[in-house]
């Protein structure tokens, strides 16, 4: 098969129950109705509607390439319909990530986040779908560095002849809207010199020089998009796995370290990333802690294949929920300990993000009010 398949994962927070928790099932249902219609119309091959915390996730497969107007439009309309349901139920923050009333050709820049990859399907195509809540796209920089550049994580970089050549990474400057493609291992230290600044740089895409795209991350930054802080992006990532690319286990391993990520509570705190099942992704402690979910699927002639019973309709899938198991309890316990420790700082850095990154701030008003009382130091 030489035909190219596109996997598009488009997500948005369009309302949730009792604060920023999870979308209502009715919202998921109406979004699904839009996507099933797009399958019947021949635009999509398959789809799966899921969520991570308060973010609704539309996983879609098709043959139309990345940034396709009609695919983005169907996602936009699905989110609009879900937001309408949220409004009817007076749910919280209904429609919050839909920054415009009218669709203008591409969801990028309009609020939703998108990770999309186009590739020629291999004879067997395993994929991990990562979805995170209460954090920004640079949260994935540390795990990506370990998965694709660190031989102590991915032994395949050393012992698999197909993996030994390394990877190219597209690094995005989310503030200046620029990107650069860099090669690992040759430029590994330069790559890390950028990625270490998680306030500004993030990985957009990872490419294997023979196999093609290996990973892609949504890097829209809502605060920059709207010209002001309107919410974190709660990013998603797609990773192709196995047969020369990192094994599923190598991709999951870095998440055993509950790294501190920015974007928790009011988009303004650091918390430890908590790997969990989709069903366990409600933000239950201090609007968090920041969550990350990982779903395993196969792409089969463009269709999504999980562990579903035979004969189910498009959209009805049972992916492997990789962080559901008790093996991850030890990580979750550590993440909770670290998040509670960070909370101990209250409104002090490093419990909160730097002043430039705060999603909420009163500082300009406070400084203005105090101006007449400010005296030069002796
Ligand atoms: C939303 C989030 C929450 C909110 C917080 C305040 O994804 O992370 O922590 O920022 O609950 O929300 P508002 O301003 O809506 O009361
Ligand atoms: Mg939210
Ligand atoms: Mg969210």
């Amino acid at each position: 098969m030489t035909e190219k398949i596109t996997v598009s994962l488009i997500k948005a927070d369009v309302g949730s129950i009792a604060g920023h928790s999870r979308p209502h099932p009715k919202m998921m249902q109406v979004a699904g109705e839009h996507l099933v219609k797009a399958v019947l119309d021949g635009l999509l091959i398959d789809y799966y509607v899921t969520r991570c915390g308060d973010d609704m996730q539309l996983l879609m497969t098709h043959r139309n390439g990345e940034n396709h107007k009609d695919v983005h439009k169907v996602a936009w309309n699905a989110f609009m319909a879900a937001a309408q349901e949220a409004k009817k139920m007076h749910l919280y923050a209904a429609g919050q990530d839909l920054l415009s009333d009218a669709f203008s050709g591409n969801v990028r820049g309009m609020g939703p986040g998108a990770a999309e990859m186009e590739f020629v399907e291999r004879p067997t195509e395993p994929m991990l779908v990562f979805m995170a809540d209460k954090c920004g796209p640079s949260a994935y920089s540390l795990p990506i560095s370990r998965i694709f550049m660190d031989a102590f994580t991915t032994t395949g970089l050393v012992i698999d002849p197909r993996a030994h050549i390394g990877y190219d990474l597209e690094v995005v400057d989310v503030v200046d809207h620029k990107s650069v493609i860099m090669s690992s291992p040759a430029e590994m230290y330069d790559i890390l010199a950028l990625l270490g600044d998680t306030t500004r740089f993030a990985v957009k895409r990872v490419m294997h020089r023979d196999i093609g795209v290996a990973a892609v991350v949504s890097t829209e930054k809502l605060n920059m998009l709207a010209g002001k802080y309107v919410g974190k992006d709660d990013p998603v990532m797609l990773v192709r796995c196995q047969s020369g690319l990192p094994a599923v286990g190598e991709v999951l391993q870095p998440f055993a370290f509950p790294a501190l990520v920015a974007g928790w509570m009011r988009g303004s705190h650091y918390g430890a990333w908590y790997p969990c099942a989709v069903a366990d992704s409600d933000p239950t402690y201090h609007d968090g802690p920041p969550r990350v979910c990982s779903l395993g699927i196969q792409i089969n002639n463009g269709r999504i294949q999980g562990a579903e019973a035979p004969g189910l309709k498009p959209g009805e899938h049972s992916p492997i929920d990789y962080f559901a198991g008790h093996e991850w309890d030890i990580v979750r316990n550590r993440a909770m300990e670290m998040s509670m420790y960070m909370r101990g700082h209250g409104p002090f850095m490093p419990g909160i993000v730097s002043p430039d990154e705060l999603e909420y701030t009163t500082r300009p008003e406070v400084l203005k009010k105090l101006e007449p009382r400010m005296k030069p130091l002796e």
Side-chain angles (χ1 to χ4, degrees), residues 193-214:
L194 299 187
L195 294 184
D197 178 358
T198 51
T199 67
R200 179 157 190 164
F201 297 99
V203 180
K204 169 79 201 157
R205 192 174 290 268
V206 182
M207 301 287 295
H208 185 283
R209 283 162 219 142
D210 296 330
I211 301 172
V213 62

Side-chain angles (χ1 to χ4, degrees), residues 129-171:
V129 175
F130 287 89
M131 309 175 294
D133 192 28
K134 321 293 185 208
C135 60
S138 56
Y140 289 116
S141 296
L142 186 155
I144 284 177
S145 300
R146 290 209 166 129
I147 296 162
F148 294 102
M149 301 197 296
D150 174 20
F152 287 80
T153 299
T154 300
T155 311
L157 291 168
V158 179
I159 65 173
D160 183 339
R162 298 166 298 183
H164 199 61
I165 54 171
Y167 291 89
D168 293 333
L169 280 77
E170 182 181 351
V171 176

Side-chain angles (χ1 to χ4, degrees), residues 92-103:
Y92 198 64
Q96 78 156 38
D97 282 356
L98 306 175
L99 303 180
S100 162
D101 292 335
F103 179 71

